[in-house]
Amino acid sequence: MKKTFFGLVAVLVMIIGAGCGWYKVNYGTIPYYVQVTQDGKSEKITYNDGTSGTIYRYNLTGYDKSGKSQQVKLIESRILKHDAYLKAAYSKKENVISWEEVKKIRSTSSSFGGIK
């Protein structure tokens, strides 16, 4: 009886661990720092309820804390300020999930590569 119980608990722990690992790989985010240096490309869309709107697509270069660059795609419903600095939560599956505006990054090292 005890062996069966502990066997079931072990299987359950492995399933939960595998699920958490899968979720982190597919939906975990990495913070990247970007500077908005270009205008977004506007696109007219129609929502499911029949109303229309405009979205803006931005293709930006982001840098992580180690200085590694990554092309990030940001879709926003408003125009972003030129030369604004953003901290973007980047997911390999979904691109930018969320972002926040930050003050200019001052770093003596080369950790933020192309951000000036």
Side-chain angles (χ1 to χ4, degrees):
M1 182 75 162
K2 283 185 178 181
K3 288 182 183 180
T4 306
F5 175 73
F6 287 121
L8 289 174
V9 169
V11 169
L12 183 62
V13 167
M14 287 190 296
I15 290 172
I16 290 172
C20 290
W22 175 84
Y23 184 83
K24 179 152 179 78
V25 166
N26 286 300
Y27 296 103
T29 61
I30 302 166
Y32 278 91
Y33 296 89
V34 300
Q35 181 180 12
V36 180
T37 57
Q38 60 189 5
D39 292 330
K41 294 179 181 167
S42 65
E43 181 180 317
K44 299 284 184 191
I45 61 168
T46 303
Y47 297 105
N48 291 337
D49 63 359
T51 60
S52 62
T54 304
I55 61 170
Y56 300 92
R57 295 182 184 271
Y58 295 87
N59 291 317
L60 305 167
T61 302
Y63 299 89
D64 65 6
K65 289 196 180 218
S66 65
K68 180 182 155 202
S69 67
Q70 172 73 39
Q71 285 298 112
V72 296
K73 296 177 184 174
L74 173 65
I75 300 172
E76 185 58 42
S77 60
R78 59 187 171 147
I79 298 173
L80 300 176
K81 292 190 294 187
H82 250 271
D83 297 324
Y85 295 92
L86 308 177
K87 180 181 178 183
Y90 174 77
S91 166
K92 291 179 182 175
K93 187 172 181 113
E94 300 288 331
N95 283 306
V96 175
I97 294 175
S98 65
W99 60 270
E100 64 178 313
E101 188 171 356
V102 294
K103 293 184 179 188
K104 185 174 181 179
I105 301 160
R106 296 196 187 269
S107 176
T108 56
S109 68
S110 62
S111 61
F112 297 108
I115 296 181
K116 298 187 175 25

